[in-house]
Amino acid sequence: EGLRASGTSAMDIGAVDAAQLHFALNHVACCGGLLFAACSDGPEGPRPHVCGRGGLPVGPETGLQEIAAIAAHTAPRPVQRDVAVESLDLSASYREFVLGFLEQCRPLKVVVDAAGGAAGAWFASLFEDVGDIEIEALNFGPDEDGAAAAEPTAASSWSTARRRVEAVAADFGVCFDGAADRCTFIDETGRLVPGDLLGALLADSFLREEAGA
């Protein structure tokens, strides 16, 4: 409603995770996007993830303070045109995009802790008919106890997933935060995979696909 009141056209892509916002910003002609997530709640309510063209993050050092100053010093004024909000469902194209990264491998059992946030709504629909992946779901329902605000790297956030990995002999586990824009991985022994090691593994994969990337 705030965008409409300013005379700016907008698209509503529904209740999505952070990755889908970035996907939309690279597949739809627009100047930026906003995502409100439970994990970003502050004393004044939810704070948005703000992105510019192409999904580049906008923060205090990259323009957010200037935007706040403009908003604080702009007086409300009537808008001469009625601006509609377009509803856009990108779920099918997003699913095709995500599954395009999968490579044929041995069957996998994966523990996924959604922390009661966005990953719970989308993970199952993205991978539900991928026959070689068995999902052990944790906290896929709506957050009721503030779990979505948890820091995924904190031991308290991944201890439950670690125990489930060990109990069901899973190949690995993944713990998301509420917006599903951060996660941690747990190996088959229940140990946390360090971020630098995970980055190195991903870099190796990307470089094999595109030299010099």
Side-chain angles (χ1 to χ4, degrees), residues 20-101:
Q20 288 183 72
L21 173 65
H22 290 267
F23 173 81
L25 292 172
N26 283 277
H27 290 77
V28 176
C30 57
C31 63
L34 300 171
L35 173 72
F36 291 88
C39 67
S40 59
D41 279 6
E44 299 178 354
R47 295 189 299 270
H49 295 248
V50 184
C51 296
R53 293 184 185 277
L56 293 175
V58 178
E61 305 301 324
T62 54
L64 192 58
Q65 291 181 341
E66 289 82 353
I67 294 173
I70 293 171
H73 295 90
T74 300
R77 64 184 186 277
V79 177
Q80 300 301 319
R81 61 191 180 99
D82 184 21
V83 180
V85 175
E86 177 187 356
S87 294
L88 189 62
D89 183 359
L90 295 173
S91 57
S93 55
Y94 177 66
R95 183 175 189 274
E96 181 181 1
F97 173 75
V98 171
L99 295 184
F101 289 96

Side-chain angles (χ1 to χ4, degrees), residues 68-153:
I70 293 171
H73 295 90
T74 300
R77 64 184 186 277
V79 177
Q80 300 301 319
R81 61 191 180 99
D82 184 21
V83 180
V85 175
E86 177 187 356
S87 294
L88 189 62
D89 183 359
L90 295 173
S91 57
S93 55
Y94 177 66
R95 183 175 189 274
E96 181 181 1
F97 173 75
V98 171
L99 295 184
F101 289 96
L102 289 181
E103 299 179 358
Q104 187 173 6
C105 63
R106 63 182 175 82
L108 295 172
K109 180 182 290 187
V110 184
V111 172
V112 180
D113 188 340
W122 286 99
F123 208 93
S125 64
L126 289 172
F127 297 100
E128 61 184 354
D129 59 354
V130 179
D132 290 338
I133 300 179
E134 178 184 347
I135 304 297
E136 287 279 335
L138 292 175
N139 300 312
F140 268 40
D143 175 48
E144 297 179 354
D145 303 313
E151 165 58 52
T153 60

